[in-house]
Coordinates of all heavy atoms in Angstrom, one line a residue:
M1 N 144.7 163.5 126.3 CA 144.3 164.9 126.6 C 144.4 165.7 125.3 O 145.1 165.4 124.4 CB 145.3 165.4 127.7 CG 144.6 166.1 128.8 SD 144.5 167.9 128.9 CE 146.3 168.2 128.9
T2 N 143.7 166.8 125.3 CA 143.8 167.8 124.2 C 143.5 169.1 124.9 O 143.1 169.3 126.0 CB 142.8 167.5 123.2 OG1 142.9 168.4 122.1 CG2 141.3 167.5 123.7
F3 N 143.6 170.1 123.9 CA 143.2 171.4 124.2 C 141.8 171.8 123.6 O 141.5 171.2 122.7 CB 144.3 172.5 124.0 CG 145.4 172.5 125.1 CD1 146.2 171.5 125.2 CD2 145.6 173.6 126.0 CE1 147.3 171.4 126.2 CE2 146.6 173.7 126.8 CZ 147.4 172.5 127.0
V4 N 141.1 172.7 124.2 CA 139.8 172.9 123.7 C 139.5 174.4 123.7 O 139.8 175.2 124.5 CB 138.7 172.3 124.8 CG1 137.3 172.6 124.3 CG2 139.0 170.8 125.0
I5 N 138.9 174.9 122.4 CA 138.6 176.2 122.4 C 137.1 176.4 122.8 O 136.1 175.6 122.5 CB 138.5 176.5 120.9 CG1 140.0 176.5 120.4 CG2 138.2 178.1 120.6 CD1 140.3 176.8 118.9
T6 N 136.9 177.4 123.6 CA 135.5 177.6 124.3 C 134.9 178.9 123.8 O 135.3 179.6 123.0 CB 135.8 177.6 125.9 OG1 136.6 178.7 126.2 CG2 136.4 176.2 126.3
E7 N 133.7 179.2 124.6 CA 132.9 180.4 124.4 C 133.5 181.6 124.0 O 133.0 182.3 123.3 CB 132.0 180.5 125.7 CG 131.1 181.6 125.6 CD 129.5 181.3 125.5 OE1 129.4 179.9 125.3 OE2 128.8 182.0 125.6
R8 N 134.7 181.9 124.6 CA 135.2 183.2 124.4 C 135.7 183.5 123.1 O 136.0 184.6 122.7 CB 136.4 183.5 125.5 CG 136.0 183.6 126.9 CD 137.1 183.8 127.9 NE 136.7 183.9 129.2 CZ 137.5 183.5 130.1 NH1 138.8 182.9 129.9 NH2 137.1 183.5 131.4
C9 N 135.8 182.5 122.1 CA 136.2 182.6 120.9 C 135.1 183.0 120.0 O 135.1 183.5 119.0 CB 136.9 181.3 120.3 SG 137.4 181.3 118.7
V10 N 133.9 182.7 120.5 CA 132.6 182.8 119.6 C 132.6 184.4 119.1 O 132.5 185.3 120.0 CB 131.3 182.6 120.4 CG1 130.1 183.0 119.6 CG2 131.3 181.1 120.6
G11 N 132.4 184.6 117.9 CA 132.4 185.9 117.3 C 133.7 186.7 117.2 O 133.8 187.7 116.6
I12 N 134.8 186.0 117.7 CA 136.2 186.6 117.8 C 137.0 186.0 116.5 O 137.3 186.7 115.6 CB 136.9 186.6 119.0 CG1 135.9 187.0 120.3 CG2 138.1 187.2 119.0 CD1 135.8 188.5 120.3
K13 N 137.2 184.7 116.7 CA 138.0 184.0 115.6 C 139.3 184.8 115.3 O 139.5 185.0 114.1 CB 137.1 183.6 114.4 CG 135.8 182.9 114.7 CD 135.2 182.3 113.5 CE 134.6 183.5 112.7 NZ 133.7 183.0 111.6
D14 N 140.0 185.1 116.2 CA 141.3 185.9 116.0 C 142.2 185.2 115.1 O 142.9 185.9 114.3 CB 141.8 186.2 117.4 CG 143.1 186.9 117.3 OD1 143.1 188.2 117.1 OD2 144.3 186.3 117.3
T15 N 142.4 183.8 115.2 CA 143.3 183.0 114.4 C 144.9 183.2 114.8 O 145.6 182.4 114.3 CB 143.3 183.3 112.9 OG1 143.8 184.4 112.5 CG2 141.8 183.2 112.4
S16 N 145.1 183.9 115.9 CA 146.5 183.9 116.3 C 146.8 182.3 116.8 O 148.1 182.0 116.6 CB 146.7 184.8 117.6 OG 146.4 186.1 117.2
C17 N 146.0 181.7 117.4 CA 146.2 180.4 117.7 C 146.6 179.5 116.5 O 147.3 178.6 116.7 CB 145.0 179.7 118.4 SG 143.6 179.6 117.5
V18 N 146.0 179.6 115.4 CA 146.3 178.8 114.3 C 147.6 179.1 114.0 O 148.3 178.0 113.5 CB 145.4 179.3 113.1 CG1 145.8 178.6 111.7 CG2 143.9 179.2 113.3
E19 N 148.2 180.2 113.9 CA 149.6 180.5 113.5 C 150.6 179.9 114.7 O 151.7 179.5 114.3 CB 149.9 181.9 113.5 CG 149.0 182.6 112.3 CD 148.9 184.1 112.4 OE1 149.8 184.7 113.1 OE2 147.9 184.5 111.8
S20 N 150.0 179.8 115.9 CA 150.9 179.3 117.0 C 151.1 177.8 117.0 O 152.1 177.2 117.5 CB 150.4 179.8 118.2 OG 149.2 179.0 118.8
C21 N 150.1 177.0 116.4 CA 150.0 175.5 116.5 C 151.1 174.8 115.6 O 151.0 175.1 114.3 CB 148.7 175.2 116.1 SG 148.5 173.2 116.4
P22 N 151.9 174.1 116.1 CA 153.0 173.4 115.3 C 152.5 172.2 114.5 O 153.2 171.8 113.6 CB 154.1 172.9 116.3 CG 153.1 172.7 117.6 CD 152.2 173.7 117.5
V23 N 151.2 171.9 114.7 CA 150.8 170.6 114.1 C 149.5 170.9 113.2 O 148.8 170.0 112.8 CB 150.7 169.5 114.9 CG1 151.9 168.9 115.5 CG2 149.6 169.8 116.1
D24 N 149.1 172.2 113.1 CA 148.0 172.6 112.3 C 146.6 171.8 112.8 O 145.8 171.4 112.1 CB 148.1 172.2 110.8 CG 149.2 173.1 110.2 OD1 149.4 174.2 110.6 OD2 149.7 172.7 109.3
A25 N 146.6 171.8 114.2 CA 145.3 171.2 114.7 C 144.1 172.1 114.8 O 143.1 171.6 115.3 CB 145.7 170.7 116.1
I26 N 144.3 173.4 114.5 CA 143.3 174.3 114.7 C 142.6 174.7 113.4 O 143.3 175.2 112.5 CB 143.7 175.5 115.5 CG1 144.4 175.1 116.8 CG2 142.6 176.5 115.8 CD1 145.0 176.2 117.6
K27 N 141.4 174.5 113.3 CA 140.6 174.8 112.0 C 139.3 175.6 112.4 O 138.7 175.3 113.5 CB 140.3 173.4 111.3 CG 141.4 172.5 111.1 CD 142.3 173.1 109.9 CE 143.5 172.1 109.7 NZ 144.5 172.7 108.8
P28 N 138.6 176.1 111.3 CA 139.2 176.3 110.0 C 140.2 177.5 110.1 O 140.2 178.3 111.0 CB 137.9 176.7 109.3 CG 137.0 177.3 110.2 CD 137.2 176.5 111.5
T29 N 141.0 177.6 109.1 CA 141.9 178.7 108.9 C 141.2 179.7 108.0 O 140.0 179.5 107.4 CB 143.2 178.2 108.2 OG1 142.9 177.8 106.8 CG2 143.9 177.0 108.8
L30 N 141.8 180.9 108.0 CA 141.3 181.9 107.2 C 141.1 181.6 105.7 O 140.2 182.1 105.0 CB 142.3 183.2 107.2 CG 142.1 184.1 108.4 CD1 143.1 185.2 108.6 CD2 140.6 184.8 108.4
D31 N 142.0 180.5 105.3 CA 141.9 180.2 103.9 C 140.9 179.1 103.6 O 140.6 178.8 102.4 CB 143.3 179.6 103.4 CG 144.4 180.7 103.4 OD1 144.1 182.0 103.3 OD2 145.6 180.3 103.6
D32 N 140.2 178.6 104.6 CA 139.2 177.5 104.4 C 137.9 178.2 104.1 O 137.5 179.2 104.7 CB 139.1 176.7 105.7 CG 140.4 175.8 105.9 OD1 141.0 175.5 104.9 OD2 140.5 175.6 107.1
E33 N 137.2 177.5 103.2 CA 135.9 178.1 102.8 C 134.9 178.2 103.9 O 134.1 179.2 104.0 CB 135.2 177.0 101.7 CG 135.8 177.3 100.3 CD 135.0 176.4 99.3 OE1 134.0 175.8 99.7 OE2 135.6 176.2 98.3
E34 N 134.9 177.3 104.9 CA 134.0 177.3 106.0 C 134.3 178.2 107.1 O 133.5 178.4 108.1 CB 133.9 175.8 106.6 CG 135.2 175.3 107.1 CD 135.8 174.4 106.1 OE1 135.8 174.8 105.0 OE2 136.4 173.4 106.5
F35 N 135.3 179.0 107.0 CA 135.7 180.0 107.9 C 134.6 181.0 108.4 O 134.3 181.1 109.5 CB 137.0 180.8 107.6 CG 137.5 181.6 108.7 CD1 138.4 181.2 109.8 CD2 137.0 183.0 108.8 CE1 138.7 182.0 110.7 CE2 137.4 183.8 109.9 CZ 138.3 183.3 110.8
D36 N 133.9 181.4 107.5 CA 132.8 182.4 107.7 C 131.7 181.7 108.2 O 130.7 182.3 108.7 CB 132.4 183.2 106.4 CG 133.6 184.2 106.0 OD1 134.4 184.5 106.8 OD2 133.6 184.4 104.8
D37 N 131.5 180.5 108.2 CA 130.2 179.6 108.5 C 130.2 179.2 109.9 O 129.2 178.7 110.4 CB 130.0 178.4 107.6 CG 129.9 178.8 106.2 OD1 129.5 179.9 105.9 OD2 130.2 178.1 105.3
V38 N 131.5 179.3 110.6 CA 131.5 178.8 112.0 C 131.4 179.9 112.9 O 132.0 181.1 112.5 CB 132.8 177.9 112.2 CG1 132.8 176.7 111.2 CG2 134.1 178.7 111.9
D39 N 131.0 179.6 114.2 CA 131.0 180.8 115.2 C 132.3 180.8 116.0 O 132.5 181.7 116.7 CB 129.7 180.7 116.0 CG 129.7 179.4 116.7 OD1 130.6 178.5 116.6 OD2 128.8 179.3 117.6
H40 N 133.1 179.8 115.9 CA 134.5 179.7 116.7 C 135.3 178.8 116.0 O 134.8 178.0 115.2 CB 134.1 179.6 118.1 CG 133.7 178.2 118.5 ND1 134.4 177.1 118.6 CD2 132.5 177.7 118.8 CE1 133.7 176.0 119.0 NE2 132.5 176.3 119.1
L41 N 136.6 178.8 116.4 CA 137.5 177.9 115.9 C 137.6 176.5 116.7 O 137.0 176.6 117.9 CB 139.0 178.5 115.9 CG 139.0 179.8 115.1 CD1 140.5 180.2 115.0 CD2 138.5 179.6 113.7
F42 N 138.2 175.5 116.2 CA 138.1 174.2 116.8 C 139.5 173.6 116.9 O 140.2 173.8 116.0 CB 137.2 173.2 116.1 CG 135.8 173.8 115.8 CD1 135.5 174.7 114.9 CD2 134.7 173.3 116.7 CE1 134.2 175.2 114.6 CE2 133.5 173.8 116.5 CZ 133.1 174.7 115.5
I43 N 139.7 172.8 118.0 CA 141.0 172.0 118.0 C 140.7 170.6 117.8 O 139.9 170.0 118.4 CB 141.7 172.2 119.4 CG1 142.2 173.7 119.4 CG2 142.9 171.3 119.5 CD1 142.9 174.1 120.8
D44 N 141.5 169.9 116.9 CA 141.3 168.5 116.6 C 142.0 167.7 117.7 O 143.3 167.7 117.7 CB 141.9 168.1 115.1 CG 141.8 166.7 114.7 OD1 141.2 166.0 115.6 OD2 142.1 166.4 113.6
P45 N 141.3 167.0 118.4 CA 141.9 166.2 119.6 C 142.7 165.1 119.1 O 143.6 164.7 119.8 CB 140.6 165.7 120.3 CG 139.6 165.7 119.4 CD 139.8 166.8 118.5
A46 N 142.6 164.6 117.8 CA 143.5 163.6 117.3 C 144.7 164.1 116.8 O 145.7 163.2 116.6 CB 142.7 162.8 116.2
T47 N 144.9 165.4 116.7 CA 146.1 165.9 116.1 C 146.8 166.8 117.1 O 148.1 166.7 117.1 CB 145.7 166.9 114.9 OG1 145.0 166.1 113.9 CG2 146.9 167.5 114.3
C48 N 146.1 167.3 118.0 CA 146.7 168.1 119.1 C 147.8 167.5 119.9 O 147.6 166.3 120.3 CB 145.6 168.6 120.0 SG 146.4 169.5 121.4
I49 N 148.9 167.9 120.1 CA 150.1 167.3 120.8 C 150.2 167.8 122.2 O 151.3 167.6 122.9 CB 151.5 167.3 120.1 CG1 151.8 168.8 119.6 CG2 151.3 166.5 118.8 CD1 153.3 168.9 119.2
D50 N 149.3 168.6 122.7 CA 149.1 169.0 124.0 C 150.4 170.1 124.4 O 150.9 170.0 125.5 CB 149.1 167.9 125.0 CG 148.0 167.1 124.8 OD1 147.0 167.4 124.2 OD2 148.2 165.8 125.1
C51 N 150.9 170.8 123.4 CA 152.0 171.6 123.6 C 151.7 172.9 124.4 O 152.6 173.5 125.0 CB 152.8 172.0 122.4 SG 151.9 173.0 121.3
G52 N 150.4 173.3 124.4 CA 150.0 174.6 125.0 C 150.3 175.9 124.3 O 150.0 177.0 125.0
A53 N 151.0 175.7 123.2 CA 151.4 177.0 122.5 C 150.2 177.9 122.2 O 150.3 179.2 122.2 CB 152.1 176.9 121.4
C54 N 149.1 177.3 121.9 CA 147.9 178.2 121.5 C 147.3 179.1 122.7 O 146.7 180.1 122.5 CB 146.8 177.3 120.9 SG 146.4 175.9 122.1
V55 N 147.6 178.5 123.9 CA 146.9 179.2 125.0 C 147.4 180.7 125.2 O 146.6 181.6 125.2 CB 147.2 178.4 126.4 CG1 146.6 179.2 127.6 CG2 146.6 177.1 126.4
P56 N 148.6 180.9 125.4 CA 149.0 182.3 125.3 C 148.8 183.1 124.1 O 148.7 184.4 124.1 CB 150.4 182.4 125.8 CG 150.8 181.0 125.2 CD 149.8 180.1 125.3
A57 N 148.7 182.5 123.0 CA 148.3 183.1 121.7 C 147.0 183.8 121.6 O 146.8 184.7 120.8 CB 148.7 182.2 120.6
C58 N 146.1 183.2 122.3 CA 144.6 183.6 122.2 C 144.4 184.9 122.9 O 144.6 184.8 124.2 CB 143.8 182.5 122.7 SG 142.1 182.9 122.7
P59 N 143.9 185.9 122.3 CA 143.7 187.3 123.0 C 142.4 187.2 123.9 O 142.2 188.1 124.6 CB 143.6 188.2 121.8 CG 143.1 187.3 120.6 CD 143.7 186.0 120.8
S60 N 141.6 186.2 123.7 CA 140.4 185.9 124.4 C 140.4 185.1 125.5 O 139.4 184.8 126.2 CB 139.3 185.6 123.4 OG 139.4 186.4 122.2
D61 N 141.5 184.5 125.8 CA 141.7 183.4 126.8 C 140.7 182.3 126.7 O 140.0 182.0 127.7 CB 141.7 184.0 128.3 CG 142.9 185.0 128.6 OD1 143.9 184.7 128.2 OD2 142.6 186.0 129.2
A62 N 140.5 181.9 125.5 CA 139.4 181.0 125.2 C 139.8 179.5 125.2 O 138.9 178.7 125.1 CB 138.7 181.2 123.8
I63 N 141.1 179.3 125.3 CA 141.5 177.9 125.2 C 142.1 177.3 126.5 O 142.8 178.0 127.3 CB 142.8 177.9 124.2 CG1 142.3 178.5 122.8 CG2 143.3 176.4 124.0 CD1 143.4 178.5 121.8
F64 N 141.6 176.1 126.8 CA 141.9 175.4 128.0 C 142.4 174.1 127.7 O 141.9 173.5 126.8 CB 140.6 175.3 129.0 CG 140.1 176.7 129.4 CD1 139.3 177.4 128.5 CD2 140.6 177.3 130.5 CE1 138.8 178.6 129.0 CE2 140.0 178.5 130.8 CZ 139.2 179.2 130.1
A65 N 143.3 173.5 128.6 CA 143.5 172.0 128.6 C 142.2 171.4 129.0 O 141.4 172.0 129.7 CB 144.6 171.6 129.7
E66 N 142.0 170.1 128.3 CA 140.6 169.5 128.5 C 140.2 169.4 130.0 O 139.0 169.5 130.3 CB 140.7 168.1 127.8 CG 139.4 167.4 127.9 CD 139.5 166.1 127.2 OE1 140.5 165.8 126.4 OE2 138.5 165.4 127.2
A67 N 141.2 169.1 130.8 CA 140.9 168.8 132.2 C 140.5 170.2 132.9 O 140.0 170.0 134.1 CB 142.0 168.2 132.9
D68 N 140.9 171.3 132.5 CA 140.7 172.6 133.1 C 139.6 173.3 132.4 O 139.3 174.4 132.9 CB 142.0 173.4 133.0 CG 143.1 172.6 133.7 OD1 143.0 172.0 134.6 OD2 144.3 172.9 133.3
V69 N 138.9 172.8 131.5 CA 137.7 173.6 130.9 C 136.7 173.9 132.0 O 136.3 172.9 132.7 CB 137.0 172.7 129.8 CG1 135.8 173.4 129.4 CG2 138.0 172.5 128.6
P70 N 136.3 175.2 132.1 CA 135.3 175.5 133.2 C 134.0 174.8 133.1 O 133.6 174.3 131.8 CB 135.1 177.0 133.1 CG 136.4 177.5 132.3 CD 136.9 176.4 131.5
D71 N 133.3 174.4 134.1 CA 132.2 173.6 133.9 C 131.1 174.0 132.9 O 130.5 173.3 132.2 CB 131.4 173.5 135.4 CG 132.2 172.5 136.3 OD1 133.1 171.8 135.8 OD2 131.9 172.6 137.5
Q72 N 130.9 175.5 132.9 CA 129.7 175.9 132.0 C 130.2 175.7 130.5 O 129.4 175.9 129.7 CB 129.5 177.5 132.3 CG 130.6 178.4 131.9 CD 131.7 178.6 133.1 OE1 131.9 177.7 133.9 NE2 132.2 179.8 133.2
W73 N 131.5 175.4 130.2 CA 131.9 175.3 128.9 C 132.4 173.8 128.5 O 132.9 173.5 127.6 CB 133.1 176.3 128.6 CG 132.6 177.7 128.7 CD1 131.4 178.2 128.5 CD2 133.5 178.8 129.0 NE1 131.4 179.6 128.7 CE2 132.7 179.9 129.0 CE3 134.9 178.9 129.4 CZ2 133.2 181.3 129.2 CZ3 135.3 180.3 129.6 CH2 134.5 181.4 129.6
K74 N 131.9 172.8 129.4 CA 132.4 171.5 129.2 C 132.0 171.0 127.9 O 132.5 170.1 127.2 CB 131.9 170.6 130.3 CG 132.6 170.8 131.7 CD 133.9 170.1 131.7 CE 134.4 170.1 133.2 NZ 135.9 170.1 133.4
H75 N 130.7 171.4 127.5 CA 130.1 171.0 126.2 C 131.1 171.4 124.9 O 130.8 170.8 123.8 CB 128.8 171.5 126.0 CG 128.5 172.8 125.9 ND1 128.8 173.7 127.1 CD2 128.3 173.8 124.9 CE1 128.6 175.0 126.7 NE2 128.3 175.1 125.4
Y76 N 131.9 172.2 125.1 CA 132.8 172.6 124.0 C 133.8 171.5 123.8 O 134.4 171.4 122.6 CB 133.5 173.9 124.3 CG 132.7 175.1 124.0 CD1 131.8 175.7 124.8 CD2 132.8 175.7 122.7 CE1 131.0 176.8 124.5 CE2 132.0 176.8 122.4 CZ 131.0 177.2 123.4 OH 130.3 178.4 123.1
I77 N 134.1 170.6 124.7 CA 135.0 169.4 124.4 C 134.4 168.6 123.3 O 135.1 168.3 122.3 CB 135.1 168.7 125.7 CG1 135.8 169.4 126.9 CG2 136.1 167.3 125.5 CD1 135.8 168.8 128.2
A78 N 133.2 168.2 123.4 CA 132.5 167.4 122.4 C 132.3 168.3 121.2 O 132.3 167.7 120.0 CB 131.2 166.9 122.9
K79 N 132.0 169.6 121.2 CA 131.8 170.4 120.1 C 133.0 170.6 119.3 O 133.0 170.4 118.0 CB 131.4 171.8 120.6 CG 130.6 172.5 119.6 CD 130.1 173.8 120.1 CE 129.5 174.8 119.0 NZ 129.3 176.1 119.4
N80 N 134.4 170.6 119.9 CA 135.5 170.7 119.1 C 135.8 169.4 118.4 O 136.0 169.4 117.3 CB 136.8 171.0 120.2 CG 136.9 172.4 120.4 OD1 137.9 173.1 120.1 ND2 135.9 173.1 121.1
A81 N 135.6 168.2 119.1 CA 135.9 166.9 118.5 C 134.9 166.7 117.5 O 135.1 166.1 116.5 CB 135.8 165.9 119.7
G82 N 133.6 167.0 117.7 CA 132.5 166.8 116.7 C 132.7 167.6 115.3 O 132.5 167.0 114.4
Y83 N 133.5 168.7 115.4 CA 133.7 169.4 114.0 C 134.5 168.6 113.2 O 134.2 168.5 112.1 CB 134.4 170.7 114.5 CG 134.7 171.5 113.3 CD1 133.8 172.2 112.5 CD2 136.0 171.5 112.8 CE1 134.1 173.0 111.4 CE2 136.5 172.2 111.6 CZ 135.5 172.9 111.0 OH 135.8 173.6 109.9
F84 N 135.5 167.9 113.8 CA 136.4 167.1 112.9 C 135.7 165.7 112.7 O 136.1 165.1 111.4 CB 137.7 166.9 113.6 CG 138.4 168.1 113.9 CD1 138.2 168.8 115.0 CD2 139.1 168.8 112.9 CE1 138.9 170.1 115.2 CE2 139.7 170.0 112.9 CZ 139.6 170.7 114.1
A85 N 134.8 165.2 113.5 CA 134.2 164.0 113.1 C 133.3 164.2 111.9 O 133.1 163.3 111.0 CB 133.3 163.6 114.1
K86 N 132.6 165.3 111.8 CA 131.8 165.6 110.6 C 132.6 165.9 109.4 O 132.2 165.6 108.2 CB 131.1 167.0 110.9 CG 129.8 166.7 111.7 CD 129.0 168.2 111.9 CE 129.3 168.8 113.1 NZ 128.8 170.0 113.3
A87 N 133.8 166.3 109.5 CA 134.7 166.7 108.4 C 135.3 165.4 107.7 O 135.6 165.4 106.6 CB 135.9 167.4 108.7
C88 N 135.2 164.2 108.4 CA 135.8 163.1 107.9 C 134.8 162.3 106.9 O 133.6 162.5 107.0 CB 136.1 162.0 109.0 SG 137.5 162.6 110.0
Ligands
LIG101 FE1 148.2 173.0 118.6 FE2 149.6 172.8 120.8 FE3 147.4 174.2 120.9 FE4 147.4 171.5 120.7 S1 148.0 172.7 122.3 S2 146.1 172.9 119.6 S3 149.1 171.2 119.4 S4 149.2 174.7 119.7

């Protein structure tokens, strides 16, 4: 399982979640060159340890456990994972 960032992050990119994550699973950070090029942040499913700390940190309520992602945002599961597949 993993956690997933969804539509409510688009255009917001608050980054409070980045600071809350104990394993640096959320990218890009404000220091990353690609920060301005993405429309929302992403969680690496291979790094996420399912702690849930990012959920209350998000002011947009954009983050869900994979199993709880609302139907209309299910495509964000692949979108989050795909971001890191491209980075490899
Ligand atoms: Fe990081 Fe925990 Fe959120 Fe996974 S659930 S992205 S490990 S804060």
Side-chain angles (χ1 to χ4, degrees):
M1 228 251 302
T2 184
F3 280 66
V4 179
I5 297 178
T6 65
E7 177 111 353
R8 289 181 187 146
C9 182
V10 173
I12 305 292
K13 299 191 294 186
D14 175 82
T15 73
S16 295
C17 59
V18 173
E19 292 160 30
S20 76
C21 181
V23 293
D24 296 331
I26 305 175
K27 305 287 183 191
T29 70
L30 275 169
D31 294 333
D32 291 330
E33 274 182 24
E34 58 269 37
F35 185 84
D36 289 337
D37 299 332
V38 299
D39 58 358
H40 64 85
L41 304 184
F42 304 84
I43 292 174
D44 182 355
T47 304
C48 176
I49 57 171
D50 305 331
C51 72
C54 53
V55 174
C58 178
S60 308
D61 293 329
I63 305 175
F64 298 85
E66 182 176 355
D68 298 330
V69 174
D71 285 347
Q72 71 269 31
W73 295 332
K74 292 277 191 210
H75 59 290
Y76 278 88
I77 297 171
K79 203 174 173 196
N80 276 243
Y83 177 78
F84 297 94
K86 272 184 263 174
C88 293

